[in-house]
Amino acid sequence: MATETPPPSNTQAPLPTTEEFVAVRDSAEFDELRRSYRSFAFPLTVAFTAWYLLYVLLSNYAGDFMGTRLFGNINVALALGLAQFLTTFLIAWWYARHAAAKLDPKAEAIKSRMEGTA
């Protein structure tokens, strides 16, 4: 089945000037977007890195503790290793929710204004 769709338009909206980009970069709206991102991403990055390093240090220096059996053949090292995967997925899910709720609307508003569609 053939459809008759028109070819894409060759006319593009004019690109923002360097001065417009600088004005947006210096705006309070962009500062708020950057602050929202940093206040979420930086603390979680530090916390997850510390959690990962704790796991590595325990694996290297607390072998007896990490070898403690919890049940069956499951020991503390395996449980904490699996928890690393769980926390990775939880952080990704949490960030996606944060971005959709707080970052994307602000970024879309800035983008629309820059493209002249606002």
Side-chain angles (χ1 to χ4, degrees):
M1 171 172 114
T3 59
E4 296 296 322
T5 58
S9 174
N10 288 337
T11 59
Q12 291 183 345
L15 295 175
T17 64
T18 302
E19 291 79 20
E20 290 171 319
F21 277 110
V22 170
V24 167
R25 181 196 66 198
D26 295 338
S27 70
E29 186 179 24
F30 189 74
D31 282 343
E32 178 58 32
L33 174 63
R34 190 172 24 209
R35 190 173 17 266
S36 293
Y37 170 75
R38 288 179 175 172
S39 67
F40 185 88
F42 288 0
L44 271 180
T45 300
V46 169
F48 185 79
T49 302
W51 158 229
Y52 176 75
L53 291 175
L54 175 67
Y55 176 72
V56 171
L57 290 172
L58 286 173
S59 295
N60 283 318
Y61 300 110
D64 291 338
F65 170 71
M66 295 296 269
T68 303
R69 288 182 184 255
L70 298 175
F71 53 91
N73 288 329
I74 307 299
N75 61 14
V76 172
L78 181 60
L80 291 179
L82 292 174
Q84 291 284 319
F85 287 102
L86 178 64
T87 54
T88 299
F89 291 115
L90 285 174
I91 289 170
W93 170 78
W94 192 12
Y95 176 77
R97 287 193 53 193
H98 173 75
K102 305 248 169 123
L103 303 178
D104 293 348
K106 293 174 187 176
E108 187 60 38
I110 293 169
K111 179 181 174 226
S112 295
R113 192 174 74 246
M114 289 294 288
E115 292 177 345
T117 59

